[in-house]
């Protein structure tokens, strides 16, 4: 008896408490399966390579090993684990039908990485917004308030909370027993996780609104900082005017990109959670909505390195150092002198970029605030 025949039989009988024989099958036709693979494999490569570049830049570039960058590295680790474990496991769940995938006792083990790392990515984005808002609001007190030890403790608690939250479904009682066939049962998926779905779907718009408020406050502080610099300067030079306009535009683009990417990637999941549990659905419509929203959610792990890495001048220099170091290793001609040249070139570019933006700073508070603005 094949898996497809079993599913047809159980759908007619309305029974999903027994298992078919040990068999393996594809959930979709060959054309749809190939389309899935063509969609997700490039995404997987971009997630792994992009976040690995951020981590290597932090390792190779000593100037990046500052407390302000700890959340960015923790976010990169989260997104890297999303690409390594969560995306392949969820792809296995969506594309295959087997006792391993469809058993109530083992299915959650494959879905749990998505809960853990995708949720961790959301909370890291919120924490980064809070950290940057504090650094701009209290630029002089920030170094004493946020020490490396405190930052590591907060990030550790954040990871512990996300793992605990992802394990909540394990404590939800299953009245039908553990040996239950879940694939396409009653034309819905993972019914025992409905409570978690509704909870996540309700909080995502709140997270989005909270992030918009934080970045609006940061944008107001950035404009106020630029205006203060202009007013305190008795003779505004054209260079300073151009730098102020450039910094303002860079801040607007960065913050709009952060908020827009979060909304595009995560808000559709709210629609999916409520559509899946309350709207009249068919198997085709549910699969379509589920595929689009999950793909957008994983896309956020690819976009994060671009937003928080490429828009940061120091990380761009770190990326160049990583590429140059690995290129010389591939060529087999990488010696100590080459490594020193790569590092000295990166530090020279960094010093030039910082000095060009910090001409005639009026006060120590302005210098600290300007540095925090560049980290946006």
């Amino acid at each position: 008896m094949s898996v497809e025949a079993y599913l047809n039989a159980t759908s007619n009988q309305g029974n999903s408490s027994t298992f078919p024989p040990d068999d393996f099958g594809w959930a979709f036709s060959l054309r749809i399966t190939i389309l899935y693979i063509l969609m997700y494999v490039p995404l997987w490569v971009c997630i792994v390579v992009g976040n690995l570049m951020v981590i290597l830049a932090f390792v190779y570039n000593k100037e990046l090993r500052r407390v302000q960058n700890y959340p960015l590295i923790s976010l990169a680790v989260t997104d890297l684990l999303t690409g390594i474990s969560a995306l392949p496991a969820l792809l296995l769940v969506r594309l295959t039908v087997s006792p391993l995938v469809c058993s109530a006792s083992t299915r959650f083990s494959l879905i749990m990485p998505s809960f853990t790392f995708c949720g961790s990515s959301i909370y890291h984005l919120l924490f980064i917004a809070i950290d940057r808002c504090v650094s701009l609001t209290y630029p002089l007190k920030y170094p004493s308030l946020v020490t490396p030890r405190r930052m590591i403790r907060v990030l550790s608690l954040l990871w512990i909370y996300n793992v605990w939250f992802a394990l909540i479904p394990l404590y939800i009682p299953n009245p039908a027993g553990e040996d239950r066939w879940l694939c396409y049962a009653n034309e819905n998926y993972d019914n025992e996780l409905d409570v978690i779905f509704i909870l996540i779907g309700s909080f995502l718009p709140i997270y989005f609104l909270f992030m918009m408020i934080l970045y609006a406050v940061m944008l107001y502080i950035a404009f106020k900082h630029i205006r203060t610099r202009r007013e305190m300067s008795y003779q505004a030079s054209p260079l300073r005017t151009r730098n102020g306009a450039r910094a303002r535009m860079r801040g607007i683009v960065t913050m709009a990109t952060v908020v827009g990417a979060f909304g595009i990637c995560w808000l559709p999941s709210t629609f999916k959670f409520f559509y899946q549990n309350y709207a009249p659905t068919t198997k085709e419509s549910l699969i379509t909505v589920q595929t689009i929203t999950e793909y957008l959610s994983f896309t956020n792990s690819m976009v994060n390195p671009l937003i928080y890495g490429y828009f940061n001048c120091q990380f761009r220099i770190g990326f160049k150092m990583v590429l140059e170091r690995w290129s010389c290793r591939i060529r087999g001609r990488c010696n100590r002198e080459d490594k020193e040249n790569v590092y000295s070139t990166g530090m020279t570019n960094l010093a030039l970029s910082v000095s060009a933006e910090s001409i005639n700073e009026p006060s120590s508070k302005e210098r600290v605030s300007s540095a925090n603005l560049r980290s946006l």
Side-chain angles (χ1 to χ4, degrees):
M1 182 180 183
S2 65
V3 174
E4 183 178 359
Y6 171 81
L7 292 175
N8 293 331
T10 54
S11 62
N12 295 329
Q13 298 173 3
N15 181 17
S16 61
S17 60
T18 59
F19 285 90
D22 293 337
D23 200 355
F24 175 88
W26 296 100
F28 306 107
S29 63
L30 179 61
R31 184 182 64 178
I32 297 179
T33 302
I34 294 176
L35 181 61
Y36 254 93
I37 295 174
L38 292 177
M39 288 174 55
Y40 276 94
V41 169
L43 179 63
W44 177 82
V45 173
C46 292
I47 291 174
V48 173
V49 173
N51 289 283
L52 194 59
M53 285 286 292
V54 173
I55 297 172
L56 291 177
F58 180 81
V59 173
Y60 290 157
N61 190 353
K62 296 180 181 180
E63 295 297 323
L64 291 175
R65 300 173 193 174
R66 300 185 302 172
V67 65
Q68 294 94 335
N69 293 328
Y70 287 6
L72 299 181
I73 301 306
S74 184
L75 174 65
V77 172
T78 300
D79 291 333
L80 179 63
L81 293 175
T82 299
I84 292 177
S85 61
L87 194 152
L90 191 64
L91 199 62
L92 179 67
V93 169
R94 299 310 181 203
L95 292 182
T96 62
V97 179
S98 66
L100 173 66
V101 172
C102 299
S103 171
S105 59
T106 57
R107 184 177 179 86
F108 179 71
S109 299
L110 299 174
I111 299 178
M112 188 185 69
S114 298
F115 276 102
T116 304
F117 300 127
C118 290
S120 179
S121 181
I122 293 174
Y123 287 111
H124 272 82
L125 294 175
L126 293 174
F127 179 73
I128 290 171
I130 296 173
D131 177 70
R132 290 183 170 181
C133 189
V134 172
S135 66
L136 285 177
T137 307
Y138 306 101
L140 296 180
K141 295 181 179 179
Y142 181 82
S144 60
L145 289 175
V146 184
T147 62
R149 181 173 297 180
R150 289 177 180 175
M151 180 64 76
I152 293 174
R153 289 177 180 175
V154 173
L155 292 175
S156 300
L157 292 176
L158 192 64
W159 276 92
I160 294 172
Y161 171 77
N162 282 285
V163 173
W164 169 82
F165 184 80
L167 294 176
I168 287 179
L170 290 178
Y171 304 100
I172 298 177
N174 184 9
E178 295 234 341
D179 293 330
R180 190 159 63 106
W181 183 269
L182 296 179
C183 293
Y184 308 115
N186 299 324
E187 293 190 355
N188 207 336
Y189 301 96
D190 310 320
N191 294 322
E192 71 277 5
L193 302 179
D194 287 351
V195 176
I196 306 300
F197 286 162
I198 298 300
L199 188 62
I200 296 175
S202 301
F203 276 98
L204 281 176
I206 299 175
Y207 296 154
F208 178 71
L209 180 61
F210 182 61
M211 182 176 289
M212 285 187 63
I213 294 173
L214 287 175
Y215 278 101
V217 172
M218 283 187 278
L219 193 61
Y220 169 76
I221 296 175
F223 284 171
K224 185 178 179 180
H225 165 73
I226 296 172
R227 187 167 56 250
T228 302
R229 289 178 59 186
R230 186 175 301 172
E231 292 176 354
M232 294 182 65
S233 177
Y234 292 100
Q235 296 178 351
S237 63
L239 177 60
R240 172 170 294 186
T241 303
R242 288 196 300 268
N243 288 339
R246 192 181 301 115
R248 182 187 304 179
M249 182 57 63
R250 185 172 63 247
I252 293 174
V253 172
T254 302
M255 295 176 188
T257 304
V258 169
V259 176
F262 184 88
I264 292 173
C265 293
W266 287 110
L267 288 183
S269 297
T270 302
F271 170 77
K272 185 200 81 169
F273 295 146
F274 287 96
Y275 177 80
Q276 175 177 331
N277 291 279
Y278 294 112
T281 62
T282 61
K283 184 169 68 175
E284 291 76 12
S285 64
L286 185 60
I287 290 174
T288 302
V289 173
Q290 191 176 58
T291 302
I292 294 174
T293 54
E294 289 176 351
Y295 190 86
L296 289 175
S297 299
F298 284 115
T299 301
N300 190 244
S301 296
M302 178 191 70
V303 173
N304 287 334
L306 299 178
I307 296 176
Y308 295 97
Y310 181 77
F311 283 106
N312 191 312
C313 177
Q314 295 179 357
F315 270 102
R316 289 201 303 270
I317 295 173
F319 293 158
K320 293 179 182 179
M321 295 173 63
V322 171
L323 293 176
E324 291 176 358
R325 177 169 295 191
W326 280 94
S327 64
C328 72
R329 285 188 178 182
I330 292 175
R331 294 195 307 266
R333 292 179 295 176
C334 186
N335 51 36
R336 183 180 181 86
E337 183 178 356
D338 293 331
K339 294 180 181 179
E340 292 178 353
N341 291 334
V342 169
Y343 180 78
S344 61
T345 301
M347 292 303 100
T348 302
N349 294 333
L350 178 60
L352 291 175
S353 64
V354 172
S355 61
E357 296 180 4
S358 59
I359 299 175
N360 299 325
E361 294 294 335
S363 66
S364 61
K365 182 175 181 180
E366 292 295 318
R367 287 194 295 270
V368 176
S369 183
S370 178
N372 292 333
L373 279 172
R374 286 195 298 270
S375 67
L376 289 176

